[in-house]
Amino acid sequence: MADIIRKATREGYGRGLKELGAEFDNVVVLDADLAGSTKTGVFKKAFPDRHFNCGIAEANMMCVAAGLAATGLVAFASSFAMFAAERAFEQVRNSIGYTRLNVKVCASHGGMSVGEDGASHQCCEDVALMRSIPGMTVLCPADEVEARKAVRAIYLQPGPVYMRLGRLAVPVFHSEDYEFVIGKGEILRDGSQVAIIATGLMVYEAMKAGEVLAGQGIDAMVINMPTIKPLDEALVLHAAEKCGRIVTCEEHSTIGGLGEAVCSFLSETRPTRVRRIGVQDEFGHSGPAWEVLKDFGLCAENIVKVCADFAREN
Amino acid sequence: MTSSDKTKLQIQACKVRMGILLGTYSAKCGHPGGSLSAADMLTYLYFREMNVDPANPKDPNRDRFVLSKGHTAPALYAALANRGFFPVEDLATLRKDGSYLQGHPNMDSVPGVDMSTGSLGQGVSCACGMALGLKYQGIPARVYAILGDGEIQEGQVWEACMFAAHYKLDNLVIIVDNNGLQIDGWIQDVMNPYPIADKLAAFGLAVQEIDGHDFDQIEAALDMARATKGKPSAIVMRTVKGKGVSYMEDEADWHGKAPNEAEYRQGMEELEAELRELEAQ
């Protein structure tokens, strides 16, 4: 695993958009002065007449995207997660969610891994907000390949989508022939004692943790859950039935994210013991991304510790 | 326009106002004041200006309308119903459980509604997106948005104006219904947005100021907007909140209150008398 390639999911987004633009004329892209960072700039370079910079005005951008979609186009609107999902929440809710228009809100710089910029930019509530909008599909790809494939999948699915992307380069573990399907998770490692359900950059951390746990004699299942809404309930149920213990991992608040989605589902169908790894009702702070992630327990070491303790509990 | 054309528009406007009263009276709530102030402009747009077809409300080549001040849905619904998009009697179902006539415009449920609105400041941005989308696709249609003068206190409106000017959306007309009143009182007392025309001009729009109850001035302004190239147009129309119903005129109280039975009857009698007079011309 040491020599694995590292790329940010936002890079997969930029590449995926460019591929999509070449294939479909009705793709238009909006950005709010962050085209270089969100990677919509890759699309802009290829299709300058279909990329519209909205300036630093995210509220307007979301509604412009809705208007574009109302004329039959498929609008991708990007900014940092903090401004796309949080500042412009009500615009997304009313002009995109309520209207069910064909807008894909693709937000980069989600989570603690923004690092040095600190708490004002470390967006750990976006999934909670977006999940709360009726009919909104919520995605959080784990690597560059998955992000790129997700771009095409969300284009082909009519209606609003929120996709969270990351700033940080993370290991690319999917191969080019990986088939991404909205609403489907994947078992990366089978196991029987504890099931780790992870999303985003926590997926690779969970894979590493799975190996370490195996060395300690703990047989962990590792699941990549790129679609947080709608949740792959069949897979969650399978994990719960087979392992009886579930650990969720997300670079997001434990309030309203993947962990809460899993708990909500299981508590009504098959009450199962769950431990949630995520941001524990806190704001972040500045520092190099991996150090900050570690500070909040968002790393393989903490997953190992939580799973080992959990597996040994009666 | 001929005097006969004008009389026809006045007759339609009178019917739109009756529809506003019917809707808000039946719902026992809603926003009659700002609906009545915008009634003449809506009448002109739907009966003379816009290329729309009630038989084909989703025609991709149609002109679009966005009621950015979505709370005045009774006026939009009354204009659409009288234009033939749905039965006028349905106006009596406004805001009722099970009715497709939601309290604020819904593009999925109401034939002829081009954008769901209600949260102030958003509709004008959506209209910008529509204008841009039509231009990008080479469709020569136009987009009209009516905003409230209180609504322009929302910062997003000015984001939208900047955007419209930057992308030279000359197929867009932003119409500000300057009836002077918002829920809490006169706009300059609540949060002064004046001088409205100067501000819009400073943001790069081609601005005209008119009397929003004078069909000749409405026609001239919309013709001028159509002839203006390279920049979006704005029309600031001075209007009277509650226009056409004597006891509602210039009263902030009628922003979001429905007429009771006696008030409804009085209003309808006034409008029926006006209608009889116009039809006799």
Side-chain angles (χ1 to χ4, degrees), chain A residues 105-125:
Chain A
V105 178
C106 297
S108 73
H109 293 56
M112 287 292 180
S113 56
V114 169
E116 290 85 349
D117 277 349
S120 63
H121 286 57
Q122 286 161 328
C123 179
C124 296
E125 307 84 19

Side-chain angles (χ1 to χ4, degrees), chain A residues 92-114:
Chain A
V92 175
R93 192 264 188 200
N94 273 321
S95 288
I96 297 172
Y98 180 48
T99 58
R100 299 180 295 154
L101 282 163
N102 219 347
V103 177
K104 320 301 175 184
V105 178
C106 297
S108 73
H109 293 56
M112 287 292 180
S113 56
V114 169

Side-chain angles (χ1 to χ4, degrees), chain A residues 25-28 30 49-54 56-61 63-68 70-73 90-91 94-95 98-101, chain B residues 62 64 102 104-108 114-117 119 122-134 136-137 139 156 159-160 163 166-167:
Chain A
D25 285 340
N26 66 346
V27 175
V28 291
L30 302 169
D49 62 326
R50 282 195 265 164
H51 183 282
F52 304 104
N53 205 325
C54 297
I56 308 166
E58 298 80 10
N60 180 59
M61 176 175 73
C63 297
V64 165
L68 285 162
T71 67
L73 300 167
E90 198 251 355
Q91 281 76 13
N94 273 321
S95 288
Y98 180 48
T99 58
R100 299 180 295 154
L101 282 163
Chain B
R62 73 192 186 280
R64 267 72 166 182
Q102 295 292 297
H104 293 80
N106 179 291
M107 64 192 289
D108 289 328
D114 294 319
M115 182 54 67
S116 302
T117 52
S119 181
Q122 296 189 27
V124 61
S125 297
C126 295
C128 288
M130 288 176 168
L132 182 65
L134 293 168
Y136 168 69
Q137 294 174 87
I139 298 169
Q156 183 175 347
E159 294 182 5
F163 182 93
H166 184 84
Y167 284 103

